[in-house]
Amino acid sequence: MTSSVLDLAPVVPVVVVEEAADAVPLARALVAGGLPAIEVTLRTPAALGAIRAIAAEVPDAVVGAGTVISPANVADAVAAGARFLVSPGWTDTLLGAMRESGVPFLPGVSTTSEVVALLERGVSEMKFFPAEAAGGTAYLKSLAGPLPQARFCPTGGVSPANAPAYLALKNVGCVGGSWMLPADAVAAKDWARVETLAREAASLRA
């Protein structure tokens, strides 16, 4: 079990799986490219099956669940084999369920007050979402002064162009994004291209 999602890799692929059959080859391509932490979002009917398949068949992957917004999501994801949980936002009810799950989690924040509230509850690692819309690198840099104990995984609008600027911030552990999974490559099952893009992403933090 990983203790911190933020230290697994510089980039966590945010994966929307439409077809469960794609999950294993997609995960293998990401792992081969150097991105072992894989966040499968619970946005599609295939998501839980995808998590189950990756957990069972890709031992080098650390598969997690994203878009976790309810205690039921938490229970379903962990039962499927998710080894970490990511939410776009949080409530005390959701936070309690994630804490009780026993796996690492990144609750989502976009304001200073949300960060302070999580620190008050003993949580110092969080997702910053939607990163670009919520103020981007300038916002995170301004948080580092008064709240140095908070560490983030910015997601939402992160790309190969701006990821290095995020990763250069001392309060950013990793970034989340889906650019290494272009829709046309996934549709064509071009896993070699996914692996190449994953390798480029993994090298963004030298």
Side-chain angles (χ1 to χ4, degrees):
M1 186 61 65
T2 176
S3 58
S4 172
V5 184
L6 299 183
D7 298 325
L8 289 169
V11 178
V12 176
V14 179
V15 182
V16 180
V17 179
E18 300 289 351
E19 296 181 38
D22 290 341
V24 168
L26 187 154
R28 285 180 176 146
L30 292 172
V31 171
L35 300 180
I38 300 170
E39 176 189 333
V40 177
T41 71
L42 301 182
R43 297 183 206 168
T44 67
L48 290 172
I51 291 170
R52 200 172 289 113
I54 295 169
E57 298 180 47
V58 192
D60 293 332
V62 180
V63 64
T67 322
V68 173
I69 58 171
S70 70
N73 285 162
V74 172
D76 290 344
V78 173
R83 292 168 61 186
F84 64 91
L85 305 168
V86 184
S87 67
W90 67 277
T91 65
D92 278 318
T93 299
L94 180 59
L95 192 67
M98 291 197 291
R99 204 191 290 270
E100 288 167 19
S101 74
V103 303
F105 57 91
L106 294 175
V109 297
S110 60
T111 69
T112 309
S113 293
E114 290 169 328
V115 176
V116 171
L118 282 177
L119 291 173
E120 192 177 78
R121 289 158 174 78
V123 178
S124 61
E125 297 187 344
M126 39 201 98
K127 167 175 171 164
F128 179 54
F129 175 83
E132 283 292 284
T137 54
Y139 193 94
L140 285 174
K141 188 179 284 188
S142 67
L143 287 182
L147 303 170
Q149 62 273 57
R151 292 178 74 218
F152 302 94
C153 173
T155 306
V158 180
S159 68
N162 61 23
Y166 278 104
L167 291 167
L169 298 176
K170 59 187 176 183
N171 58 351
V172 169
C174 63
V175 298
S178 54
W179 70 85
M180 71 298 298
L181 297 159
D184 58 339
V186 175
K189 307 194 188 307
D190 186 352
W191 309 125
R193 183 175 166 211
V194 170
E195 181 180 336
T196 297
L197 291 170
R199 188 168 287 110
E200 291 170 2
S203 69
L204 284 174
R205 175 184 277 156

